[in-house]
Amino acid sequence: MAGLRKRFGHREALRGIDLEIPAQGCFVLFGPNGAGKSTLLRIISTRMRPTAGRLEVLGQDAVRRGDRVRPLLGAVFHDSFLRGDLTLEENLRFYGELYGISRGILEDRIVGMAERWGLGPRLQDPVRTFSQGMTKRATLIRSLLHDPRVWILDEPFSGLDPAGSALLARVIQEERSGGRAIILVTHDVEMGLRLCDDGAVITGGSVTARGRAQTEAFVRSMAAGEKGAA
């Protein structure tokens, strides 16, 4: 991405973002609330158009040809995009058919992923009966169901209990080793640094540190400053 900008009225949320995110491994974005991280993820996921700038995802123009890019992406934001009146299986079948997964493959994939995320016994239960943590696990399944090349995660640990967080961290490690590109936004500095292969810091809509070493030094200095102020 180059010169990526996003303006909301008089407020400029992104001020010319220049970043190259590797096509494999886990790339972590750190930054305070309101820095522009979620806005950037929404643009990368083609849910939002930038005001200016260029964005390519796996060689495709994500601004002009979002229809080509979208099937390559799996995304988790704060909304689950699951229907509470449908069972988990019905929700996943809907999304699987939307992405054109053949029926035989889809059925096996639904069962396998539900077991992987500890929701096998709940496949026939309406999603409205799920706890917050179970809904987050179901959302993570939904985002990976079509085997995307890029996995976009906006605060995915939010709402998970310790067991769920440990499971998610393990899956991220497995997926990054398996060749998937993961873009992760998290306020959990230690978890983010443990999982990332590369990263950047965004503050005030601009990149203030990039590369794993600079990113780690920056976020640790920020954390030390916050402790000192307290």
PDB file of all heavy atoms in Angstrom, residues 163-190:
ATOM      1  N   ALA A 163      -8.696 -20.040  28.033  1.00  0.00           N
ATOM      2  CA  ALA A 163      -8.589 -21.230  27.190  1.00  0.00           C
ATOM      3  C   ALA A 163      -8.809 -20.875  25.720  1.00  0.00           C
ATOM      4  O   ALA A 163      -8.107 -21.370  24.832  1.00  0.00           O
ATOM      5  CB  ALA A 163      -9.600 -22.290  27.636  1.00  0.00           C
ATOM      6  N   GLY A 164      -9.780 -19.997  25.467  1.00  0.00           N
ATOM      7  CA  GLY A 164     -10.040 -19.570  24.092  1.00  0.00           C
ATOM      8  C   GLY A 164      -8.897 -18.763  23.518  1.00  0.00           C
ATOM      9  O   GLY A 164      -8.548 -18.915  22.334  1.00  0.00           O
ATOM     10  N   SER A 165      -8.286 -17.913  24.344  1.00  0.00           N
ATOM     11  CA  SER A 165      -7.137 -17.123  23.890  1.00  0.00           C
ATOM     12  C   SER A 165      -5.951 -18.013  23.562  1.00  0.00           C
ATOM     13  O   SER A 165      -5.247 -17.799  22.560  1.00  0.00           O
ATOM     14  CB  SER A 165      -6.743 -16.104  24.965  1.00  0.00           C
ATOM     15  OG  SER A 165      -7.754 -15.135  25.140  1.00  0.00           O
ATOM     16  N   ALA A 166      -5.723 -19.021  24.402  1.00  0.00           N
ATOM     17  CA  ALA A 166      -4.620 -19.951  24.147  1.00  0.00           C
ATOM     18  C   ALA A 166      -4.865 -20.734  22.863  1.00  0.00           C
ATOM     19  O   ALA A 166      -3.943 -20.967  22.071  1.00  0.00           O
ATOM     20  CB  ALA A 166      -4.456 -20.901  25.329  1.00  0.00           C
ATOM     21  N   LEU A 167      -6.124 -21.123  22.629  1.00  0.00           N
ATOM     22  CA  LEU A 167      -6.465 -21.848  21.409  1.00  0.00           C
ATOM     23  C   LEU A 167      -6.240 -20.962  20.184  1.00  0.00           C
ATOM     24  O   LEU A 167      -5.657 -21.410  19.183  1.00  0.00           O
ATOM     25  CB  LEU A 167      -7.923 -22.307  21.473  1.00  0.00           C
ATOM     26  CG  LEU A 167      -8.486 -22.957  20.206  1.00  0.00           C
ATOM     27  CD1 LEU A 167      -7.698 -24.207  19.841  1.00  0.00           C
ATOM     28  CD2 LEU A 167      -9.968 -23.279  20.395  1.00  0.00           C
ATOM     29  N   LEU A 168      -6.698 -19.711  20.247  1.00  0.00           N
ATOM     30  CA  LEU A 168      -6.518 -18.799  19.122  1.00  0.00           C
ATOM     31  C   LEU A 168      -5.039 -18.572  18.836  1.00  0.00           C
ATOM     32  O   LEU A 168      -4.609 -18.586  17.672  1.00  0.00           O
ATOM     33  CB  LEU A 168      -7.212 -17.468  19.401  1.00  0.00           C
ATOM     34  CG  LEU A 168      -6.978 -16.355  18.369  1.00  0.00           C
ATOM     35  CD1 LEU A 168      -7.375 -16.806  16.965  1.00  0.00           C
ATOM     36  CD2 LEU A 168      -7.740 -15.095  18.779  1.00  0.00           C
ATOM     37  N   ALA A 169      -4.244 -18.368  19.879  1.00  0.00           N
ATOM     38  CA  ALA A 169      -2.806 -18.175  19.681  1.00  0.00           C
ATOM     39  C   ALA A 169      -2.186 -19.391  19.002  1.00  0.00           C
ATOM     40  O   ALA A 169      -1.340 -19.256  18.108  1.00  0.00           O
ATOM     41  CB  ALA A 169      -2.123 -17.916  21.022  1.00  0.00           C
ATOM     42  N   ARG A 170      -2.616 -20.574  19.406  1.00  0.00           N
ATOM     43  CA  ARG A 170      -2.089 -21.800  18.798  1.00  0.00           C
ATOM     44  C   ARG A 170      -2.488 -21.892  17.326  1.00  0.00           C
ATOM     45  O   ARG A 170      -1.668 -22.253  16.475  1.00  0.00           O
ATOM     46  CB  ARG A 170      -2.599 -23.020  19.561  1.00  0.00           C
ATOM     47  CG  ARG A 170      -1.984 -24.330  19.090  1.00  0.00           C
ATOM     48  CD  ARG A 170      -2.221 -25.451  20.080  1.00  0.00           C
ATOM     49  NE  ARG A 170      -3.627 -25.835  20.189  1.00  0.00           N
ATOM     50  CZ  ARG A 170      -4.382 -25.595  21.243  1.00  0.00           C
ATOM     51  NH1 ARG A 170      -3.886 -24.964  22.300  1.00  0.00           N
ATOM     52  NH2 ARG A 170      -5.637 -25.980  21.279  1.00  0.00           N
ATOM     53  N   VAL A 171      -3.738 -21.528  17.014  1.00  0.00           N
ATOM     54  CA  VAL A 171      -4.190 -21.579  15.621  1.00  0.00           C
ATOM     55  C   VAL A 171      -3.429 -20.560  14.772  1.00  0.00           C
ATOM     56  O   VAL A 171      -3.035 -20.846  13.637  1.00  0.00           O
ATOM     57  CB  VAL A 171      -5.709 -21.348  15.528  1.00  0.00           C
ATOM     58  CG1 VAL A 171      -6.149 -21.187  14.079  1.00  0.00           C
ATOM     59  CG2 VAL A 171      -6.469 -22.504  16.180  1.00  0.00           C
ATOM     60  N   ILE A 172      -3.215 -19.360  15.314  1.00  0.00           N
ATOM     61  CA  ILE A 172      -2.443 -18.348  14.574  1.00  0.00           C
ATOM     62  C   ILE A 172      -1.046 -18.873  14.262  1.00  0.00           C
ATOM     63  O   ILE A 172      -0.535 -18.714  13.142  1.00  0.00           O
ATOM     64  CB  ILE A 172      -2.379 -17.025  15.367  1.00  0.00           C
ATOM     65  CG1 ILE A 172      -3.756 -16.346  15.380  1.00  0.00           C
ATOM     66  CG2 ILE A 172      -1.330 -16.076  14.766  1.00  0.00           C
ATOM     67  CD1 ILE A 172      -3.821 -15.107  16.253  1.00  0.00           C
ATOM     68  N   GLN A 173      -0.416 -19.506  15.243  1.00  0.00           N
ATOM     69  CA  GLN A 173       0.912 -20.059  15.011  1.00  0.00           C
ATOM     70  C   GLN A 173       0.888 -21.138  13.935  1.00  0.00           C
ATOM     71  O   GLN A 173       1.775 -21.202  13.077  1.00  0.00           O
ATOM     72  CB  GLN A 173       1.473 -20.619  16.321  1.00  0.00           C
ATOM     73  CG  GLN A 173       1.833 -19.532  17.333  1.00  0.00           C
ATOM     74  CD  GLN A 173       2.226 -20.106  18.677  1.00  0.00           C
ATOM     75  OE1 GLN A 173       1.690 -21.120  19.117  1.00  0.00           O
ATOM     76  NE2 GLN A 173       3.152 -19.450  19.352  1.00  0.00           N
ATOM     77  N   GLU A 174      -0.146 -21.983  13.964  1.00  0.00           N
ATOM     78  CA  GLU A 174      -0.268 -23.037  12.956  1.00  0.00           C
ATOM     79  C   GLU A 174      -0.504 -22.443  11.567  1.00  0.00           C
ATOM     80  O   GLU A 174       0.090 -22.886  10.578  1.00  0.00           O
ATOM     81  CB  GLU A 174      -1.413 -23.979  13.324  1.00  0.00           C
ATOM     82  CG  GLU A 174      -1.147 -24.819  14.567  1.00  0.00           C
ATOM     83  CD  GLU A 174      -2.392 -25.547  15.055  1.00  0.00           C
ATOM     84  OE1 GLU A 174      -3.480 -25.335  14.464  1.00  0.00           O
ATOM     85  OE2 GLU A 174      -2.299 -26.308  16.038  1.00  0.00           O
ATOM     86  N   GLU A 175      -1.371 -21.429  11.496  1.00  0.00           N
ATOM     87  CA  GLU A 175      -1.719 -20.846  10.207  1.00  0.00           C
ATOM     88  C   GLU A 175      -0.540 -20.065   9.605  1.00  0.00           C
ATOM     89  O   GLU A 175      -0.325 -20.096   8.394  1.00  0.00           O
ATOM     90  CB  GLU A 175      -2.938 -19.935  10.348  1.00  0.00           C
ATOM     91  CG  GLU A 175      -4.227 -20.652  10.738  1.00  0.00           C
ATOM     92  CD  GLU A 175      -4.685 -21.640   9.695  1.00  0.00           C
ATOM     93  OE1 GLU A 175      -4.407 -21.433   8.495  1.00  0.00           O
ATOM     94  OE2 GLU A 175      -5.325 -22.648  10.072  1.00  0.00           O
ATOM     95  N   ARG A 176       0.200 -19.378  10.433  1.00  0.00           N
ATOM     96  CA  ARG A 176       1.355 -18.626   9.903  1.00  0.00           C
ATOM     97  C   ARG A 176       2.431 -19.582   9.413  1.00  0.00           C
ATOM     98  O   ARG A 176       3.099 -19.320   8.418  1.00  0.00           O
ATOM     99  CB  ARG A 176       1.913 -17.665  10.966  1.00  0.00           C
ATOM    100  CG  ARG A 176       2.601 -18.314  12.122  1.00  0.00           C
ATOM    101  CD  ARG A 176       2.856 -17.345  13.256  1.00  0.00           C
ATOM    102  NE  ARG A 176       4.195 -16.839  13.279  1.00  0.00           N
ATOM    103  CZ  ARG A 176       4.976 -16.847  14.371  1.00  0.00           C
ATOM    104  NH1 ARG A 176       4.530 -17.311  15.511  1.00  0.00           N
ATOM    105  NH2 ARG A 176       6.178 -16.360  14.324  1.00  0.00           N
ATOM    106  N   SER A 177       2.569 -20.725  10.070  1.00  0.00           N
ATOM    107  CA  SER A 177       3.535 -21.722   9.632  1.00  0.00           C
ATOM    108  C   SER A 177       3.071 -22.424   8.364  1.00  0.00           C
ATOM    109  O   SER A 177       3.890 -22.937   7.598  1.00  0.00           O
ATOM    110  CB  SER A 177       3.767 -22.767  10.731  1.00  0.00           C
ATOM    111  OG  SER A 177       4.268 -22.153  11.903  1.00  0.00           O
ATOM    112  N   GLY A 178       1.750 -22.427   8.136  1.00  0.00           N
ATOM    113  CA  GLY A 178       1.200 -23.102   6.972  1.00  0.00           C
ATOM    114  C   GLY A 178       1.172 -22.251   5.720  1.00  0.00           C
ATOM    115  O   GLY A 178       0.625 -22.673   4.699  1.00  0.00           O
ATOM    116  N   GLY A 179       1.708 -21.042   5.787  1.00  0.00           N
ATOM    117  CA  GLY A 179       1.817 -20.222   4.593  1.00  0.00           C
ATOM    118  C   GLY A 179       0.760 -19.149   4.436  1.00  0.00           C
ATOM    119  O   GLY A 179       0.733 -18.448   3.428  1.00  0.00           O
ATOM    120  N   ARG A 180      -0.115 -19.000   5.428  1.00  0.00           N
ATOM    121  CA  ARG A 180      -1.144 -17.973   5.330  1.00  0.00           C
ATOM    122  C   ARG A 180      -0.594 -16.626   5.804  1.00  0.00           C
ATOM    123  O   ARG A 180       0.240 -16.564   6.704  1.00  0.00           O
ATOM    124  CB  ARG A 180      -2.359 -18.356   6.179  1.00  0.00           C
ATOM    125  CG  ARG A 180      -3.654 -17.683   5.745  1.00  0.00           C
ATOM    126  CD  ARG A 180      -4.811 -18.039   6.664  1.00  0.00           C
ATOM    127  NE  ARG A 180      -5.015 -19.463   6.828  1.00  0.00           N
ATOM    128  CZ  ARG A 180      -5.716 -20.230   6.002  1.00  0.00           C
ATOM    129  NH1 ARG A 180      -6.252 -19.694   4.917  1.00  0.00           N
ATOM    130  NH2 ARG A 180      -5.881 -21.517   6.259  1.00  0.00           N
ATOM    131  N   ALA A 181      -1.076 -15.546   5.193  1.00  0.00           N
ATOM    132  CA  ALA A 181      -0.743 -14.208   5.681  1.00  0.00           C
ATOM    133  C   ALA A 181      -1.785 -13.804   6.716  1.00  0.00           C
ATOM    134  O   ALA A 181      -2.988 -13.933   6.484  1.00  0.00           O
ATOM    135  CB  ALA A 181      -0.738 -13.209   4.530  1.00  0.00           C
ATOM    136  N   ILE A 182      -1.314 -13.335   7.861  1.00  0.00           N
ATOM    137  CA  ILE A 182      -2.209 -12.929   8.947  1.00  0.00           C
ATOM    138  C   ILE A 182      -1.903 -11.478   9.296  1.00  0.00           C
ATOM    139  O   ILE A 182      -0.737 -11.111   9.507  1.00  0.00           O
ATOM    140  CB  ILE A 182      -2.006 -13.821  10.193  1.00  0.00           C
ATOM    141  CG1 ILE A 182      -2.265 -15.291   9.850  1.00  0.00           C
ATOM    142  CG2 ILE A 182      -2.917 -13.368  11.331  1.00  0.00           C
ATOM    143  CD1 ILE A 182      -1.797 -16.252  10.919  1.00  0.00           C
ATOM    144  N   ILE A 183      -2.935 -10.658   9.326  1.00  0.00           N
ATOM    145  CA  ILE A 183      -2.796  -9.264   9.746  1.00  0.00           C
ATOM    146  C   ILE A 183      -3.571  -9.114  11.040  1.00  0.00           C
ATOM    147  O   ILE A 183      -4.797  -9.259  11.062  1.00  0.00           O
ATOM    148  CB  ILE A 183      -3.312  -8.286   8.676  1.00  0.00           C
ATOM    149  CG1 ILE A 183      -2.659  -8.567   7.328  1.00  0.00           C
ATOM    150  CG2 ILE A 183      -3.037  -6.844   9.104  1.00  0.00           C
ATOM    151  CD1 ILE A 183      -3.235  -7.741   6.190  1.00  0.00           C
ATOM    152  N   LEU A 184      -2.863  -8.835  12.113  1.00  0.00           N
ATOM    153  CA  LEU A 184      -3.438  -8.862  13.460  1.00  0.00           C
ATOM    154  C   LEU A 184      -3.342  -7.496  14.117  1.00  0.00           C
ATOM    155  O   LEU A 184      -2.276  -6.883  14.149  1.00  0.00           O
ATOM    156  CB  LEU A 184      -2.696  -9.907  14.309  1.00  0.00           C
ATOM    157  CG  LEU A 184      -2.957  -9.947  15.814  1.00  0.00           C
ATOM    158  CD1 LEU A 184      -4.398 -10.333  16.106  1.00  0.00           C
ATOM    159  CD2 LEU A 184      -1.985 -10.910  16.489  1.00  0.00           C
ATOM    160  N   VAL A 185      -4.468  -7.020  14.647  1.00  0.00           N
ATOM    161  CA  VAL A 185      -4.492  -5.843  15.508  1.00  0.00           C
ATOM    162  C   VAL A 185      -4.816  -6.312  16.921  1.00  0.00           C
ATOM    163  O   VAL A 185      -5.809  -7.026  17.129  1.00  0.00           O
ATOM    164  CB  VAL A 185      -5.549  -4.819  15.040  1.00  0.00           C
ATOM    165  CG1 VAL A 185      -5.842  -3.801  16.148  1.00  0.00           C
ATOM    166  CG2 VAL A 185      -5.078  -4.085  13.794  1.00  0.00           C
ATOM    167  N   THR A 186      -3.979  -5.980  17.880  1.00  0.00           N
ATOM    168  CA  THR A 186      -4.233  -6.357  19.259  1.00  0.00           C
ATOM    169  C   THR A 186      -3.620  -5.343  20.211  1.00  0.00           C
ATOM    170  O   THR A 186      -2.579  -4.736  19.921  1.00  0.00           O
ATOM    171  CB  THR A 186      -3.664  -7.765  19.563  1.00  0.00           C
ATOM    172  OG1 THR A 186      -3.931  -8.092  20.930  1.00  0.00           O
ATOM    173  CG2 THR A 186      -2.171  -7.841  19.316  1.00  0.00           C
ATOM    174  N   HIS A 187      -4.293  -5.155  21.356  1.00  0.00           N
ATOM    175  CA  HIS A 187      -3.739  -4.321  22.422  1.00  0.00           C
ATOM    176  C   HIS A 187      -2.870  -5.141  23.377  1.00  0.00           C
ATOM    177  O   HIS A 187      -2.220  -4.577  24.254  1.00  0.00           O
ATOM    178  CB  HIS A 187      -4.863  -3.656  23.219  1.00  0.00           C
ATOM    179  CG  HIS A 187      -5.519  -2.517  22.497  1.00  0.00           C
ATOM    180  ND1 HIS A 187      -4.842  -1.368  22.157  1.00  0.00           N
ATOM    181  CD2 HIS A 187      -6.779  -2.353  22.054  1.00  0.00           C
ATOM    182  CE1 HIS A 187      -5.655  -0.536  21.544  1.00  0.00           C
ATOM    183  NE2 HIS A 187      -6.843  -1.108  21.464  1.00  0.00           N
ATOM    184  N   ASP A 188      -2.877  -6.452  23.204  1.00  0.00           N
ATOM    185  CA  ASP A 188      -2.062  -7.335  24.046  1.00  0.00           C
ATOM    186  C   ASP A 188      -0.645  -7.354  23.478  1.00  0.00           C
ATOM    187  O   ASP A 188      -0.337  -8.131  22.568  1.00  0.00           O
ATOM    188  CB  ASP A 188      -2.670  -8.740  24.054  1.00  0.00           C
ATOM    189  CG  ASP A 188      -2.004  -9.658  25.067  1.00  0.00           C
ATOM    190  OD1 ASP A 188      -0.804  -9.454  25.368  1.00  0.00           O
ATOM    191  OD2 ASP A 188      -2.665 -10.592  25.544  1.00  0.00           O
ATOM    192  N   VAL A 189       0.203  -6.496  24.010  1.00  0.00           N
ATOM    193  CA  VAL A 189       1.554  -6.313  23.475  1.00  0.00           C
ATOM    194  C   VAL A 189       2.354  -7.607  23.527  1.00  0.00           C
ATOM    195  O   VAL A 189       2.983  -8.005  22.537  1.00  0.00           O
ATOM    196  CB  VAL A 189       2.288  -5.183  24.224  1.00  0.00           C
ATOM    197  CG1 VAL A 189       3.764  -5.157  23.836  1.00  0.00           C
ATOM    198  CG2 VAL A 189       1.638  -3.842  23.922  1.00  0.00           C
ATOM    199  N   GLU A 190       2.343  -8.276  24.679  1.00  0.00           N
ATOM    200  CA  GLU A 190       3.149  -9.489  24.814  1.00  0.00           C
ATOM    201  C   GLU A 190       2.685 -10.576  23.866  1.00  0.00           C
ATOM    202  O   GLU A 190       3.497 -11.261  23.237  1.00  0.00           O
ATOM    203  CB  GLU A 190       3.118  -9.978  26.269  1.00  0.00           C
ATOM    204  CG  GLU A 190       3.776  -9.019  27.259  1.00  0.00           C
ATOM    205  CD  GLU A 190       5.222  -8.705  26.888  1.00  0.00           C
ATOM    206  OE1 GLU A 190       5.918  -9.611  26.379  1.00  0.00           O
ATOM    207  OE2 GLU A 190       5.646  -7.570  27.117  1.00  0.00           O
TER     208      GLU A 190
END
